[in-house]
Amino acid sequence: MSRAKISIDRDFTISEVPRRLFGSFVEHMGRCVYTGIYEPGHPEADEQGFRKDVLALTKELGATVIRYPGGNFVSGYNWEDGIGPVANRPRRLDGAWHTLETNAFGLHEFVDWSRKAGTEIMEAINLGTRGVDAAREIVEYANHPGGTYLSDLRAKNGHKDPFDIKLWCLGNEMDGPWQIGHKTAEEYGRLAQEAGKAMRFVDPDIELVACGSSSSQMDTFGSWEQTVLTHAYNEVDYVSLHAYYQEHDGDAGSFLASAVDMDYFIESVVATADSVRAKGKHKKHINLSFDEWNVWYQSGLDTEDQPHRVNASGWREHPRVIEDHYNVTDAVVVGTLLNSLLRHGDRVKIANQAQLVNVIAPILSEENGPAWRQSIFYPFARMAELAKGLILRTEVDSDKYENARFGGTDLVDVSATWDEESGRIALFFANRGLEEAADVEVALRGFDAGRITRAEVLEIPEGKDRFAKNELDTRGQVGLTALAGVKASGDELRLTLPALSWAVVELEVAKN
């Protein structure tokens, strides 16, 4: 049996828990919007065509902020196509995903859906095919109270009051050659600077996210952030990061250590942003927006042909695209990625798991059918629910395992929070070990342990293997169960983590 000793201390904290860490992402891609969050005529659809079953799962997931409408999609998108009477909206070709966009769902629909879901909006603008003028105009349309052409047009289209969207992404993955309107760092840095200035002229209270590297593996990683921020530092509040992980050729050990790469990515971008701050003698710090992250099996995009949605030239309406079905191993990795984000909560203030429904998502839905939770739903939902108050520093002395990509890696991964108001500590554990359970001792320095209020584990179901997942016909197969044998007394917590598992323990504490 492997072992880990963990220490937390009341006086050693990182920051308050940023509630925007628990964000998600809705893109006009595949079935995320159409037959995902929006399906008029579905038995569970409300009067606006929003699926109530998906809304309920979104609330249960605990998503706090939703990035919209893309993603690669936004770099060829005209926001005006999604406003006004639906019957008058144009049908367009989306070159990013080679689909036909009906525009039946647009800005007004998303604002209404977000209000029903109880989520903040993170709106992305098109800096691929468009620029400064469209950027300032969408802010005026969305946020100006009235008395101008665009704000009055919003009222005419059904929303007299402003949308009051405060969080805006200045494009998407502009470093990527795959992006419509791809730019060099110099080109993008200047465009982001000028678009940001124009947007703030309309609404000075908005927050802006500049595009950082779409992967730490990009040839331009580091130099891209340096150049972009040199131009746009004064105009932006955040720089973005994107990362996806998958298991390659059965190398589960490296896959389970993916959070090591996320740690490196975050810390490298922080260092780059701070170097620009020092060189430019800026006062403020640029924080990070990890606004795309997840497990994604990038072996292909199409998952099913849908002949009834293909027009004569081969363009399709909302086809099934990258509808990965996640297993227990994926859920453990997602848990460690969440730990990495939380441990860096002093600088990572926003994070969006991509995406919310159907497209590499924690929620799956069937057209005219049910919606259900995937394995990766559970770590996200529990952390969004229980990670409150202050992030605690964790000192970990764990047995290690060797893997091809990262070498010696801790078997046990952990993050922790302390909510002084409720008097509760929440600890989020992952055991990366494929074969052995792990005995864990947690030293609670400065705390006196009381009642354990939550102890749950996601592990391999009995009689199954690590590839167990929730399918349409077995939706309850993988989920959270009670974690037995957890003991807390005085300044110590003890537990045993099953092999390949994710667990949460919440307990009441008193300060010593």
Side-chain angles (χ1 to χ4, degrees), residues 269-312:
V269 174
V270 167
T272 304
D274 287 350
S275 75
V276 177
R277 176 178 181 264
K279 185 176 180 180
K281 299 179 175 59
H282 301 285
K283 300 297 183 184
K284 71 177 182 181
H285 283 92
I286 296 292
N287 287 317
L288 276 56
S289 174
F290 217 125
D291 46 45
E292 286 188 34
W293 69 270
N294 207 348
V295 172
W296 174 6
Y297 289 92
Q298 301 179 56
S299 56
L301 286 174
D302 293 332
T303 55
E304 182 181 304
D305 289 330
Q306 294 172 294
H308 63 292
R309 292 210 182 95
V310 181
N311 71 9

Side-chain angles (χ1 to χ4, degrees), residues 398-420:
S398 171
D399 288 348
K400 299 184 184 298
Y401 74 101
E402 292 295 321
N403 58 87
R405 185 173 177 192
F406 302 105
T409 303
D410 287 343
L411 279 162
V412 174
D413 184 68
V414 65
S415 65
T417 61
W418 171 41
D419 184 12
E420 187 172 14

Side-chain angles (χ1 to χ4, degrees), residues 109-140:
E109 288 79 16
F110 185 68
V111 169
D112 288 343
W113 180 88
S114 297
R115 290 173 177 172
K116 290 184 177 183
T119 61
E120 184 183 4
I121 294 171
M122 184 181 193
E123 184 77 10
I125 64 168
N126 178 357
L127 289 186
T129 61
R130 305 189 76 182
V132 175
D133 211 33
R136 69 189 178 100
E137 287 185 346
I138 187 174
V139 175
E140 181 180 337

Side-chain angles (χ1 to χ4, degrees), residues 67 172-173 213-215 240-244 265 290-292:
R67 184 168 174 250
N172 176 77
E173 293 185 357
S213 293
S214 51
S215 164
S240 73
L241 303 82
H242 293 177
Y244 295 98
F265 195 1
F290 217 125
D291 46 45
E292 286 188 34

